[in-house]
C-alpha cells in the first residue's frame, strides 16, 4: 500500500476496538523520497552509460577508417597506374610510328628529288645533243649463230650465162 491510501483511512478503522496495542504508521516521506530519487538517479546514470557506450560503438574509429580507406584505395590506385602506363606506351608507339612515316616520306622525297634531277639531267643532255638518232642492231642470241656461219656469196655467173 502506498502512503496516500493509508492516510485516507479513517482513524477508527486503523485502531483496533479491543484496545490491544497496534502498530503505528510512521510517515517517512523524506526517506522514501530520497530512496526514489536515488533509484531514479541510478537508472538515469545507467541509461546515460548505455547511451554513451552505444555512441562510442557507433563513433568512427580513426585507425579503423584509415585502414578501410587504404584498402579501398588500392584498386583505384592500381587502375590509375595501369591507365597511365597504357597511355605512356601508346604515346611511345605513336611517336615511333610517326618517326618511321617521316623517315619513309623523307626517303621518298629524296628518291623523287633524285629522279627529278636525273630526268632534268637527261633532258639537258638531250637538249645539248643533236637531233640525230642512231640505230643499232639488236643482238639476238638465236640469230648470231646464223650470222656467224659463212654464207656463199651469190654468183654473178648465172646471169652471165643467159646472154
Amino acid at each position: 500500500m502506498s502512503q496516500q491510501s493509508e492516510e485516507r483511512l479513517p482513524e477508527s478503522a486503523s485502531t483496533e476496538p479491543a484496545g490491544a496495542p497496534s502498530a503505528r504508521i510512521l510517515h517517512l516521506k523524506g526517506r522514501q523520497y530520497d530512496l526514489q530519487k536515488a533509484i531514479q538517479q541510478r537508472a538515469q546514470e545507467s541509461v546515460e552509460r548505455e547511451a554513451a557506450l552505444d555512441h562510442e560503438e557507433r563513433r568512427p574509429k580513426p585507425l579503423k577508417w584509415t585502414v578501410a580507406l587504404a584498402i579501398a584505395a588500392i584498386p583505384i590506385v592500381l587502375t590509375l597506374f595501369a591507365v597511365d602506363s597504357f597511355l605512356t606506351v601508346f604515346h611511345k608507339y605513336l611517336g615511333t610510328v610517326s618517326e618511321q612515316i617521316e623517315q619513309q616520306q623523307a626517303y621518298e622525297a629524296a628518291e623523287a628529288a633524285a629522279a627529278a634531277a636525273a630526268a632534268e639531267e637527261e633532258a639537258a643532255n638531250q637538249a645539248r645533243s643533236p637531233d640525230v638518232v642512231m640505230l643499232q642492231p639488236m643482238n639476238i642470241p638465236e640469230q648470231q649463230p646464223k650470222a656467224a656461219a659463212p654464207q656463199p656469196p651469190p654468183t654473178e655467173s648465172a646471169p652471165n650465162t643467159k646472154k
Side-chain angles (χ1 to χ4, degrees), residues 70-84:
I71 291 172
I74 290 172
I76 296 168
V77 169
L78 289 177
T79 303
L80 290 175
F81 181 73
V83 168
D84 182 50

Side-chain angles (χ1 to χ4, degrees), residues 32-151:
Q32 194 170 14
Y33 178 74
D34 289 340
L35 183 61
Q36 285 178 347
K37 189 175 180 181
I39 291 172
Q40 286 177 350
Q41 187 177 4
R42 289 261 179 149
Q44 184 65 31
E45 288 175 359
S46 175
V47 168
E48 288 174 359
R49 197 175 326 115
E50 289 291 325
L53 287 175
D54 286 343
H55 180 69
E56 186 69 27
E57 287 178 7
R58 290 184 190 152
R59 185 177 64 94
K61 309 279 190 274
L63 182 62
K64 181 180 175 182
W65 279 100
T66 304
V67 169
L69 288 176
I71 291 172
I74 290 172
I76 296 168
V77 169
L78 289 177
T79 303
L80 290 175
F81 181 73
V83 168
D84 182 50
S85 299
F86 174 76
L87 290 176
T88 302
V89 169
F90 192 69
H91 284 290
K92 286 182 181 179
Y93 172 75
L94 287 178
T96 304
V97 168
S98 66
E99 286 177 9
Q100 288 176 351
I101 290 173
E102 288 174 3
Q103 288 176 353
Q104 185 178 9
Q105 288 175 348
Y107 178 72
E108 289 174 357
E111 283 184 351
E120 288 177 10
E121 184 179 323
E122 187 176 318
N125 285 341
Q126 286 179 357
R128 281 186 260 151
S129 66
D131 292 335
V132 177
V133 177
M134 297 187 65
L135 299 176
Q136 295 179 351
M138 294 181 59
N139 294 333
I140 301 175
E142 297 174 0
Q143 292 179 356
Q144 284 180 357
K146 292 179 184 176
Q151 295 181 354

